[in-house]
Amino acid sequence: MLPRLMFRPQTLRPRLTSVPAFVIPRRMLTVTRTLFMTNGEQLIYDKLHGELQPTKLSVTDSSGGCGSMYVVEIEAECFRGLNRVKQTKMVNGLLKSELKEMHGMRVLCTVPPEKAWAQTLSRLDAFSKVDRTHQARTSSGGFLSVVVLLAMAFMVTSELRDFLQYQQTHEFAVDADVQQELQVNFAMTVAMPCALMRVDVLDASGNRQNLDDGITMQAVSRRRAFAKLSGSHSAGLNGVADMHVHDIFAEAGRLRRVPGVREKGLAKPSSLASIGDLDDAACHIEGSVMVNKVAGLFHITAHGHAYGGAYVPSRMMNFTHHIDELSFGPLYPSLDNPLDNTLHVSDDHVSAFRYFISIVPTTYIDASARHLSTNQYAVNEYYKPHSDLSDLDGKPPGIFLEYSFESVAVTVREHRGSVVAFAVRLCAAISGLFVTVGIAHSLFACVANAVSGRRPHVSRGILDSKHATTVHISAAVVES
C-alpha cells in the first residue's frame, strides 16, 4: 500500500513519508488542495469552490480519515467587508447538510490582501465605517431624518432656482465715444391746436433748429385723446432699470416704430375741420431728429412767445400734455423709458413744464455676448403756473426738456452662475445642515438625560444583557 501524500496550503509543499518531496510552481496553483482527497474532502471542496469562487481553499480531514472532523481554510473576495462571524456563517450555510453528519468543523476565513496602493489609501481613510450591528436607531433620530430631508429638498430647490436665474453686473467707465450727433425720438400729445405751436432745439453751442418741417404734427380730438389716458402715471416711475438684460433684448427685437405710424389708442382725424371745435383741438407731435451731442434744450412753445410769429393769446394756450415716448439713441419702441406714457396736466392757461434730463450711454451684453447700445436717462420734473413764471429765468410758457450728457458710460452684463460655485454652495448647505442637526440632536439628548437623571446608555453589542442571545452550536465549531 502506497503511503498517503498530503499537501499543506501554508507552504505549498507536498509531503511523503517514503517518497521524495517535490515542488509545484505557485503560478500553476491558484487554489490549493490536497493531491489525494477523501470523498468527504472532495464533496466539501467542490461545493465551496463552486459557490464562493475562492482564491485559496484547503479542506483537511483532521479525524484521521473517518470524516467526523474537518479543517477548512478558505480565502475569498466575497468575504471583504464582513466580520468573522458573518464569514463563518456563510460557509456553514453552504455546508448545512454536511454538518449534520460530522462532529464538528473548524473554519478559517480570510480576505485576499489588497494591493500596495489600496492598502496605503485605506490607512488614509478619514471616513471609517461602523458595522450595522453596532448602530442604534431611535424614533427621535428618524424624526430628525425626515426634517433633514425636507429641509434639504427646500435648500436644493432654492439653490437651483438661483442658479437658473440670470445675474447682472454693472461696469462704469469714462465715455470714450466721439460720436458727433445723437438721435432724439419723441411722441407726445399737447392740448393745443397744431397751428398755434412750434418745436425747436437749442444746444449749448448756440445752434438752433426749428423742427416744424422735420416732424409729424397731426390734429386730434382733445376729449377723445385724453379720455383714454387715465391709466398714465407721473414721470420717473417707468424705465428699463428693473428689467433683465434678456428681457431688454426681447423687447428691442420687436418691430421698430415708423415715425407717424404708431398709435397708442388715440383717434386721429385727418384734418382740423373734422374736430369741429377749437376748444376740443389737440396736436399729436411725433418724430426722430438728429441733434449735436452736447447739452441742449428741446422745447415746445406758442407762436409769438420767445420767437417771432403771430402772437397767440394766453386764453388759447394749454400745455397739458401726454408723453408717449421720449428716448435718445436708436429707436426701440417696445422699451420703456422714464417719461414714456406719462400725463402732465396744467392748472392754468399760462404755465411752463421743465424737465431736467441726465443722459447716460448704456451698453447691454446678454449671456450670448450680443450687444445693444442705447441711452438711459434720469429726469426731474419742474412745473410753474402763471403766478410763478418770474422764476423761470425769463423763459416763456411751454414745455422745456433740458438734456445733458454724463461723462460716465455704463455696461450691463448678464451671465449665469458658475456650475462649480453652485456645486460648492449646495454641498456646503447640505453638509452644514447634517452637522447642525447632529449637534442639536446630541445636545438635546444630553439635556434630556441631565433633566431626567438618567445616565446615557452604552451598548456593548451581544454582551449587553438586553441584547444577549444564545448561540447554539451543533455540529460546527466557529473560531474567530
Side-chain angles (χ1 to χ4, degrees), residues 292-368:
N292 295 328
K293 194 177 178 181
V294 294
L297 174 65
F298 179 93
H299 52 285
I300 300 174
T301 57
H303 285 292
H305 296 263
Y307 297 103
Y311 183 80
V312 177
S314 59
R315 62 180 178 82
M316 301 183 65
M317 292 189 296
N318 184 356
F319 287 102
T320 296
H321 60 283
H322 178 270
I323 300 178
D324 298 326
E325 179 171 342
L326 179 65
S327 61
F328 300 86
L331 176 59
Y332 302 107
S334 297
L335 292 181
D336 289 333
N337 296 281
L339 284 176
D340 289 0
N341 195 32
T342 56
L343 177 64
H344 311 267
V345 180
S346 174
D347 298 329
D348 199 350
H349 287 286
V350 182
S351 58
F353 294 88
R354 297 182 69 178
Y355 301 94
F356 300 92
I357 301 174
S358 297
I359 303 173
V360 179
T362 305
T363 301
Y364 296 98
I365 305 176
D366 67 357
S368 301

Side-chain angles (χ1 to χ4, degrees), residues 110-181:
T110 57
V111 179
E114 295 180 338
K115 297 181 180 180
W117 61 268
Q119 294 179 358
T120 303
L121 288 179
S122 62
R123 298 192 192 100
L124 301 177
D125 186 10
F127 306 96
S128 56
K129 311 304 183 294
V130 179
D131 193 85
R132 290 181 179 272
T133 57
H134 298 88
Q135 296 178 356
R137 300 182 183 274
T138 60
S139 57
S140 60
F143 173 76
L144 287 179
S145 298
V146 175
V147 173
V148 168
L149 288 177
L150 295 177
M152 189 187 309
F154 172 76
M155 297 177 68
V156 170
T157 304
S158 301
E159 289 291 341
L160 184 60
R161 183 178 63 251
D162 294 341
F163 171 71
L164 294 178
Q165 290 180 348
Y166 288 99
Q167 300 178 5
Q168 296 184 171
T169 57
H170 294 71
E171 301 175 4
F172 301 89
V174 177
D175 184 16
D177 189 6
V178 293
Q179 185 178 358
Q180 298 294 325
E181 293 183 326

Side-chain angles (χ1 to χ4, degrees), residues 69-111:
M69 193 73 176
Y70 289 90
V71 176
V72 177
E73 300 179 19
I74 182 172
E75 179 183 280
E77 185 65 32
C78 59
F79 295 151
R80 191 175 301 279
L82 302 178
N83 56 30
R84 292 291 182 85
V85 175
K86 291 185 177 181
Q87 293 173 1
T88 307
K89 284 184 177 181
M90 182 182 295
V91 176
N92 292 341
L94 295 175
L95 302 177
K96 187 175 182 180
S97 59
E98 286 77 6
L99 288 173
K100 297 178 180 179
E101 301 177 359
M102 62 180 71
H103 295 298
M105 183 176 65
R106 180 185 179 190
V107 180
L108 301 176
C109 300
T110 57
V111 179

Side-chain angles (χ1 to χ4, degrees), residues 199-363:
V199 183
D200 299 270
V201 175
L202 177 65
D203 59 36
S205 63
N207 184 32
R208 183 176 68 86
Q209 302 180 53
N210 181 262
L211 305 179
D212 291 349
D213 299 330
I215 60 177
T216 300
M217 299 179 67
Q218 188 170 7
V220 298
S221 171
R222 182 190 306 178
R223 184 184 68 256
R224 294 167 61 186
F226 286 93
K228 297 183 179 182
L229 302 177
S230 58
S232 303
H233 51 77
S234 301
L237 301 179
N238 207 16
V240 299
D242 296 332
M243 296 178 63
H244 292 286
V245 174
H246 58 276
D247 295 329
I248 295 175
F249 272 86
E251 293 295 328
R254 295 184 180 180
L255 182 63
R256 294 190 178 187
R257 173 176 58 87
V258 179
V261 174
R262 188 180 69 170
E263 301 180 8
K264 292 197 174 182
L266 305 181
K268 298 183 181 179
S270 58
S271 65
L272 185 60
S274 61
I275 300 177
D277 186 4
L278 289 178
D279 291 336
D280 189 43
C283 185
H284 183 77
I285 307 171
E286 187 171 8
S288 296
V289 297
M290 300 299 295
V291 299
N292 295 328
K293 194 177 178 181
V294 294
L297 174 65
F298 179 93
H299 52 285
I300 300 174
T301 57
H303 285 292
H305 296 263
Y307 297 103
Y311 183 80
V312 177
S314 59
R315 62 180 178 82
M316 301 183 65
M317 292 189 296
N318 184 356
F319 287 102
T320 296
H321 60 283
H322 178 270
I323 300 178
D324 298 326
E325 179 171 342
L326 179 65
S327 61
F328 300 86
L331 176 59
Y332 302 107
S334 297
L335 292 181
D336 289 333
N337 296 281
L339 284 176
D340 289 0
N341 195 32
T342 56
L343 177 64
H344 311 267
V345 180
S346 174
D347 298 329
D348 199 350
H349 287 286
V350 182
S351 58
F353 294 88
R354 297 182 69 178
Y355 301 94
F356 300 92
I357 301 174
S358 297
I359 303 173
V360 179
T362 305
T363 301

